[in-house]
Amino acid sequence: MVHVQTPPPTEASQEQIIWLAGPRLIGLLFNWGLLGVLTTQVYIYHVNFPKDKWTLKFLVYFVYVLDWVQTCSATYDAFQWFVYGWGSVPALFLRYTGFLNVPALGSIIGAIVQIFYGWRIWAFSRSRFIFLLVCVLALLQLAGGLAQSYFMFNDAMETARHAYTNKAMGIRLGGGAVVDTLICVAMIYYLLRGRAQALGPVNNFMSRLARLSLETGTMTVVAAIIDFLFYLKETNGLHQVTGVILCKLYSNSLMMLFNNRLVFENWDVHDDDDSGRGVAVRVEGTRRAQVEKFAVRRSVDQESRTTGRSE
């Protein structure tokens, strides 16, 4: 049942139809494409990290299931627009389950990923203040997303631009952009600060994590800002291109953080130590084992040469 307060238009120009249908189609294609990337990343994680803690596994699979629900919801809307409601102008202006797949599920997935990043910052820095600040901002954008979902459920018309809906969306996207920026800056700062005390390989690993944090943080911040600006400035569907894929950007950034550990797969590095110091210890231990193997080979070669000369 679709709730509508704003009367739907009975006629629309070709330009209006294009600017409504086109971005929705592009957003749905990107959504399915990013779901495919996420599926590959989840499979890589499942194969390579079977010994991770059950809490981390639950986090990965729970977010993955939520993303499937979000994509199925967006696909249902696409069927209402392009299949069941083909040729119907009022149907094109309705947001059927848009209240669920964009603000609700998007803010839930975003909050989960943001709080996890906050926990990682705490593991590196032991800064409770940063962790609590990230949690508060993540919950704030979650509250804005749930409020926007409620308002969109009450009025599912695309042309509806109520002040309270705009404020809730501003809290969701603005709060998300702020917390993503905070996470990005804090991760880079603490990782680069720890490079001076790390071994050579671990130094490179931290540099890679810092670069990854900058790339993923910038990606989600830019997508949230573009979504908000398009929603406020134009009464068309442009905002749905970034809005419907924002949660996939969060999920893929989470899996990139998990699977980035494969860089050190030859050294058997698994960061299951809450302090984050287990990496250096394991790398050092593995390098020591490699040196010992090299020393044994060298001694065997020398012994064989000595035996050959004596004969």
Side-chain angles (χ1 to χ4, degrees), residues 13-24 235-239:
S13 64
Q14 183 179 10
E15 183 179 359
Q16 286 179 306
I17 295 175
I18 291 174
W19 284 106
L20 277 175
R24 289 172 175 174
T235 56
N236 54 40
L238 274 177
H239 64 95

Side-chain angles (χ1 to χ4, degrees), residues 52-72:
D52 270 2
K53 296 179 180 179
W54 71 268
T55 52
L56 297 181
K57 292 181 179 179
F58 176 80
L59 173 67
V60 169
Y61 300 134
F62 180 67
V63 170
Y64 183 58
V65 170
L66 289 181
D67 272 294
W68 263 105
V69 174
Q70 192 266 348
T71 299
C72 291

Side-chain angles (χ1 to χ4, degrees), residues 222-235:
V222 171
I225 293 175
I226 290 176
D227 184 13
F228 188 56
L229 292 179
F230 278 149
Y231 182 84
L232 292 179
K233 189 175 181 179
E234 299 290 346
T235 56

Side-chain angles (χ1 to χ4, degrees), residues 114 137 140-141 166-181 221 224-225 228:
Q114 288 161 352
L137 291 175
L140 179 63
Q141 71 86 17
N166 295 343
K167 290 179 181 179
M169 186 175 186
I171 294 174
R172 177 176 73 90
L173 296 177
V178 171
V179 68
D180 290 343
T181 303
V221 169
I225 293 175
F228 188 56

